[in-house]
């Protein structure tokens, strides 16, 4: 989907089906050092050149972003995050990335497929207009109210566009983990009514916004695509900020009662030549 195409109307229903987002693949590999060591220097250079050229090709494809990471701890050595509009293209790039260094050099350890999506819980124009009339004394139908609403529409248009077609930051610390909302006998997120979920999420977002400038977050939906319901991707300038936000949010009512977490992956975003040296290629 072209980032400049019209966006779906998030006010259409209380359960926005995220039809038009990008596909997102998180790919984590081990480097088979024993296999790599069998190659001559010339073969190694060729293999690295092949991967570097592929990374260039992917990065110059429209509506596509590719991030490269040196992963921290032996859980994984090398990581990619690929965002692209078309699933065939995502699939093609992903297969070629896995093979680029030659057979049996990269072995997959974890991967995750999700899509960018609009939030179900963003403020609607009706809610915003209601707040202005009730709390700030704007007269219904007035030119002043209309001007505020026009501003709101522009803001939401940009906000929704950024969610569907995000621009990933080049911040050094990267954290990925999958999440689901609990569906237990006592605490079942999917059995709450929309208003309750919206209120809980508003509290969550308030905490989140206190991390502006320190944390960039991308929540991507994976219901029906992968094992968990969302992928959480965080970027920061240091690991302390990641630890702090995840710790604080666990005390959020919504996370405390309803969040389940998968495995965490931490990586460092590095330019390719530095990355090759770091991971021993
Ligand atoms: O969409 C927005 O950016 C604003 C409101 C918002 C939504 C709808 C928001 C804000 N999040 C939303 C949805 Mn979030 N988020 C997480 C984690 O939950 C945990 O305990 C840890 C994992 C972090 C660290 C985080 C950070 N968020 C979600 C959802 C989907 C739920 C659903 O739709 O039912 C999940 C799984 C989730 C999890 N969140 C923010 C943040 C931060 C930093 C913000 C503020 C962003 C900003 O305003 O710039």
């Amino acid at each position: 989907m072209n980032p400049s195409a019209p966006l779906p109307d998030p006010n259409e229903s209380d359960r926005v089906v995220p039809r038009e987002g990008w596909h997102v693949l998180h790919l984590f590999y081990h480097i088979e050092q024993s296999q790599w060591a069998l190659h001559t220097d010339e073969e190694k250079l060729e293999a690295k050149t092949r991967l570097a050229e592929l990374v260039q090709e992917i990065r110059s494809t429209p509506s596509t972003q590719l991030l490269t990471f040196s992963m921290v701890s032996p859980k994984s050595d090398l990581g990619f995050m690929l965002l692209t509009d078309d699933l065939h293209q995502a699939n093609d790039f992903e297969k070629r990335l896995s093979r680029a260094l030659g057979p049996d050099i990269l072995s997959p350890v974890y991967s995750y497929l999700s899509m960018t999506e609009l939030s179900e819980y963003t403020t609607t124009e009706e809610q915003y207009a209601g707040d202005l009339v009730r709390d700030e004394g704007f007269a219904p139908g007035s030119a002043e109210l209309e001007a505020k609403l026009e501003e709101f529409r522009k803001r939401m248009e940009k906000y929704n566009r950024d969610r569907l077609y995000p621009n990933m930051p080049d911040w050094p610390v990267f954290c990925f983990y999958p999440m689901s909302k609990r569906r237990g006998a006592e605490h079942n997120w999917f059995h709450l009514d929309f208003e309750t979920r919206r209120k809980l999420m508003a509290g969550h977002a308030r905490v989140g916004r206190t991390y502006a400038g320190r944390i960039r977050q991308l929540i991507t939906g994976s219901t029906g695509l992968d094992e968990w319901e969302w992928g959480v991707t965080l970027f920061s300038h240091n690991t302390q900020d990641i630890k702090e936000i995840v710790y604080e949010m666990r005390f959020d009512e919504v996370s405390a009662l309803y969040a389940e977490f998968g495995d965490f992956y931490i990586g460092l975003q590095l330019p390719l030549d530095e990355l090759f040296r770091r991971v021993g290629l």
Side-chain angles (χ1 to χ4, degrees):
M1 188 72 227
N2 185 324
S4 58
L7 295 177
D9 180 356
N11 295 343
E12 260 171 22
S13 80
D14 67 5
R15 207 162 290 141
V16 175
V17 183
R19 289 160 292 235
E20 321 235 13
W22 277 341
H23 290 83
V24 181
L25 272 165
H26 291 80
L27 305 167
F28 302 115
Y29 299 93
H30 267 310
I31 297 168
E32 300 301 335
Q33 296 286 355
S34 54
Q35 199 63 28
W36 183 248
L38 300 177
H39 291 312
T40 63
D41 285 351
E42 200 184 351
E43 288 167 333
K44 287 179 182 172
L45 186 63
E46 256 172 50
K48 286 189 283 186
T49 307
R50 240 186 350 258
L51 179 56
E53 284 172 358
L54 175 60
V55 167
Q56 275 313 313
E57 179 193 332
I58 296 173
R59 287 188 172 152
S60 59
T61 305
S63 300
T64 302
Q65 291 168 61
L66 177 67
L67 284 66
T68 52
F69 308 102
S70 168
M71 300 306 294
V72 180
S73 94
K75 254 185 198 170
S76 166
D77 297 314
L78 184 65
F80 298 111
M81 179 176 178
L82 171 68
L83 301 93
T84 192
D85 55 351
D86 179 80
L87 184 57
H88 279 289
Q89 190 157 280
N91 185 230
D92 176 56
F93 288 156
E94 160 235 325
K95 297 298 177 223
R96 288 166 65 201
L97 282 167
S98 303
R99 289 192 309 257
L101 289 172
D104 301 325
I105 303 296
L106 293 186
S107 57
V109 291
Y110 191 71
S111 62
Y112 206 77
L113 172 64
S114 57
M115 292 181 78
T116 60
E117 63 180 18
L118 297 180
S119 166
E120 286 176 54
Y121 307 109
T122 40
T123 310
T124 65
E125 194 173 318
E126 288 70 30
Q127 281 160 355
Y128 184 66
D131 290 349
L132 289 178
V133 170
R134 199 178 42 253
D135 304 336
E136 299 192 32
F138 281 84
S142 65
E144 290 75 16
L145 180 63
E146 187 41 46
K148 289 290 272 189
L149 292 181
E150 185 51 33
E151 228 173 74
F152 174 81
R153 271 177 227 125
K154 286 215 186 86
R155 197 162 64 237
M156 292 315 287
E157 163 77 18
K158 174 172 186 337
Y159 170 86
N160 286 330
R161 203 170 284 288
D162 287 347
R163 278 194 65 114
L164 285 183
Y165 314 114
N167 248 320
M168 303 314 290
D170 61 359
W171 296 11
V173 179
F174 155 87
C175 172
F176 173 79
Y177 52 97
M179 270 190 73
S180 290
K181 287 284 169 63
R182 191 165 294 154
R183 37 179 88 239
E186 190 182 351
H187 295 296
N188 184 342
W189 177 253
F190 298 92
H191 226 246
L192 297 177
D193 60 77
F194 178 72
E195 209 37 46
T196 309
R197 283 182 284 128
R198 195 174 76 82
K199 285 209 183 98
L200 285 166
M201 287 310 295
H204 165 89
R206 256 193 309 280
V207 174
R209 279 194 294 274
T210 65
Y211 285 83
R214 289 203 283 154
I215 295 282
R216 287 277 298 274
Q217 127 273 29
L218 181 68
I219 306 298
T220 48
S222 49
T223 308
L225 302 181
D226 218 318
E227 259 174 271
W228 300 72
E229 287 154 358
W230 289 277
V232 178
T233 307
L234 305 175
F235 290 91
S236 69
H237 298 289
N238 57 60
T239 36
Q240 178 63 30
D241 287 341
I242 301 274
K243 191 163 172 282
E244 210 170 300
I245 192 173
V246 175
Y247 186 80
E248 186 176 351
M249 284 199 163
R250 286 195 174 178
F251 289 96
D252 249 23
E253 196 178 2
V254 61
S255 296
L257 295 180
Y258 299 103
E260 310 267 11
F261 299 86
D263 286 348
F264 284 66
Y265 287 83
I266 296 283
L268 294 168
Q269 192 165 197
L270 290 178
L272 212 52
D273 52 342
E274 229 174 292
L275 175 60
F276 284 153
R277 280 196 299 277
R278 180 71 56 86
V279 299
L281 288 175

